[in-house]
């Protein structure tokens, strides 16, 4: 009993001490005003990471970094939130000998233009942009690699455009459909849900807090072993006007639909391309035993591997282990030569006004409903863009 009381007192003193230290920091003016960063750090433009390119996809100027020969199979990397192309530097350096590695800045991130409409951030719209990018790069398919929110986008892409993926590697986060099933089973920790609710309903406060302590957010995300130049690369990138706000906007645009739409299982048949899922100890904040079985029931053939002592950015925390796992997976599933697609201009996009009831419908329903909507919208304007294949995309 005596030891229990002493333990409780020690814990109370420690909590009070941490609160006082945090209060002192909050009262410090410099805590709320980050240091100015007018110039990018040298590491962002270093040639060892690759060559910077720009391409226009659906009227959005996208930035990407490439390394390796374009005659080799395409290996496309998708970053998460808040993140940008630089997160994949170790993987591009490793795999550029055998693949054409391309790390993309998603719309509104890094050096890519922000979209004109927020709805572009929706996961199915981003998947469509990725599909158009693969064609614009002259490839028919790719090896897709994603981390965090980029993995969620990757799972969606595998389901939405399976013909454009030869193999895929997802890091740290299961698919949106699996997350929805976990929520229905009350398997998602309350703390994770509260944090998500704060980001969704906190207004501009999350952005304000993200800038505090000279962007201490990235000190936590990248970990204590991060190099100073890498931290500076992140802080410079997200110190740009509205950079953090756009990341928050992308999160909100998709989290709103989390409880409304059904993801990933639209095709409802096992995938035919091989996949690899890497999970760590602290990356998803959900017990891996809760979701690995669900992933394996939907995505086959799928290999899962555990990476110890890593956080949300496992590919930066322990690049050697992650690269080794990816390399072994790719060697076990050799890449066949792919058909090269000519860089021809896309077919003309037709924009039509359709009522709100169309949004979120299955492709066949939206297409069948289209003619009736055009004549019976009752003044409700909602744009859908139809291309080949005719997939409704709001703008």
């Amino acid at each position: 009993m005596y030891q229990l009381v002493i333990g409780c007192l020690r814990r109370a003193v420690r909590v009070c001490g941490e609160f006082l230290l945090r209060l002192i920091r909050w009262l410090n003016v410099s805590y709320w005003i980050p240091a100015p960063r007018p110039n990018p750090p040298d590491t962002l433009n270093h040639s060892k990471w690759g060559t910077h390119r720009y391409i226009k996809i659906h009227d959005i100027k996208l930035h990407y970094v490439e390394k390796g020969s374009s005659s080799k199979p395409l290996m496309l990397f998708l970053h998460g939130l808040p993140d940008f192309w630089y997160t994949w530097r170790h993987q591009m350096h490793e795999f550029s000998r055998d693949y054409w590695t391309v790390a993309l800045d998603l719309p509104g991130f890094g050096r890519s233009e922000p979209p004109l409409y927020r709805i572009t951030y929706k996961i199915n719209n981003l998947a469509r942009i990725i599909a158009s990018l693969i064609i614009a790069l002259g490839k028919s398919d790719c090896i897709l690699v994603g981390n965090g929110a980029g993995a969620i986008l990757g799972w969606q892409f595998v389901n939405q455009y399976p013909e454009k993926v030869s193999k895929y590697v997802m890091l740290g986060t299961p698919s949106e459909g699996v997350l929805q099933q976990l929520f229905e089973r009350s398997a998602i920790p309350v703390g994770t849900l509260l944090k998500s609710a704060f980001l969704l309903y906190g207004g501009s406060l999350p952005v304000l807090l993200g800038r505090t302590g000279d962007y201490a957010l990235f000190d936590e995300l990248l970990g204590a072993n991060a190099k100073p130049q890498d931290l500076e690369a992140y802080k410079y990138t997200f110190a740009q006007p509205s950079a953090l706000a756009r990341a928050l906007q992308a999160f909100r645009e998709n989290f709103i639909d989390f409880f409304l739409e059904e993801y990933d299982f639209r095709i409802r048949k096992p995938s035919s391309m091989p996949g690899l899922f890497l999970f760590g100890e602290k990356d998803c904040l959900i017990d891996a035993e809760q979701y690995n079985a669900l992933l394996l029931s939907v995505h086959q053939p799928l290999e899962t591997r555990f990476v110890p002592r890593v956080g949300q950015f496992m590919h930066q925390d322990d690049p050697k282990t992650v690269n080794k796992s990816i390399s072994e997976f790719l060697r076990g599933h050799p890449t066949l030569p792919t058909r090269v697609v000519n860089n021809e201009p896309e077919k003309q996009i037709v924009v039509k006004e359709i009522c709100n009831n169309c949004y979120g419908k299955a492709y066949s329903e939206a297409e069948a409903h289209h003619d009736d909507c055009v004549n019976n919208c009752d003044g409700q304007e909602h744009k859908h863009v139809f291309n080949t294949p005719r997939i409704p995309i709001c703008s």
Side-chain angles (χ1 to χ4, degrees), residues 55-109:
I55 190 170
K56 202 161 190 177
I57 303 293
H58 300 310
D59 294 327
I60 302 175
K61 186 179 179 181
L62 298 178
H63 167 259
Y64 66 92
V65 176
E66 64 164 359
K67 189 173 185 181
S69 173
S70 60
S71 63
K72 296 177 180 179
L74 173 62
M75 193 172 189
L76 183 61
F77 296 91
L78 304 177
H79 63 76
L81 300 175
D83 213 343
F84 67 119
W85 74 266
Y86 188 75
T87 192
W88 298 111
R89 60 196 181 280
H90 300 299
Q91 286 67 45
M92 295 180 69
H93 181 74
E94 173 70 21
F95 295 106
S96 58
R97 290 169 292 185
D98 301 314
Y99 302 94
W100 181 29
T101 58
V102 173
L104 175 68
D105 276 338
L106 290 171
F109 291 83

Side-chain angles (χ1 to χ4, degrees), residues 87 93 106 166 251 266 295 309 313 315 342 353 393:
T87 192
H93 181 74
L106 290 171
S166 59
F251 171 83
R266 187 172 291 147
L295 277 175
R309 299 179 297 278
F313 289 177
H315 54 297
N342 294 328
E353 300 292 335
I393 296 293

Side-chain angles (χ1 to χ4, degrees), residues 213-233:
D214 195 26
Y215 295 94
L217 163 69
F218 296 105
D219 293 275
E220 180 180 350
L221 285 176
L222 297 180
N225 296 326
K227 296 180 180 179
Q229 63 266 27
D230 297 334
L231 279 171
E232 191 59 28

Side-chain angles (χ1 to χ4, degrees), residues 7-18:
C8 291
L9 288 175
R10 286 179 177 175
R11 181 174 179 83
V13 170
R14 185 167 61 251
V15 170
C16 291
E18 291 177 356

Side-chain angles (χ1 to χ4, degrees), residues 313-334:
F313 289 177
M314 67 169 69
H315 54 297
Q316 296 191 62
D317 293 343
D318 190 356
K320 289 185 178 180
T321 300
V322 170
N323 292 349
K324 182 175 182 289
S325 297
I326 296 176
S327 180
E328 290 174 352
F329 164 72
L330 294 177
R331 286 201 303 267
H333 301 275

Side-chain angles (χ1 to χ4, degrees), residues 14 40 74 87 111 171 194 233 258 280-281 298 308 322 329 345 354 366:
R14 185 167 61 251
L74 173 62
T87 192
R111 302 184 192 179
L171 280 61
L194 290 176
F258 180 78
E281 295 178 271
V298 177
V322 170
F329 164 72
I354 304 179

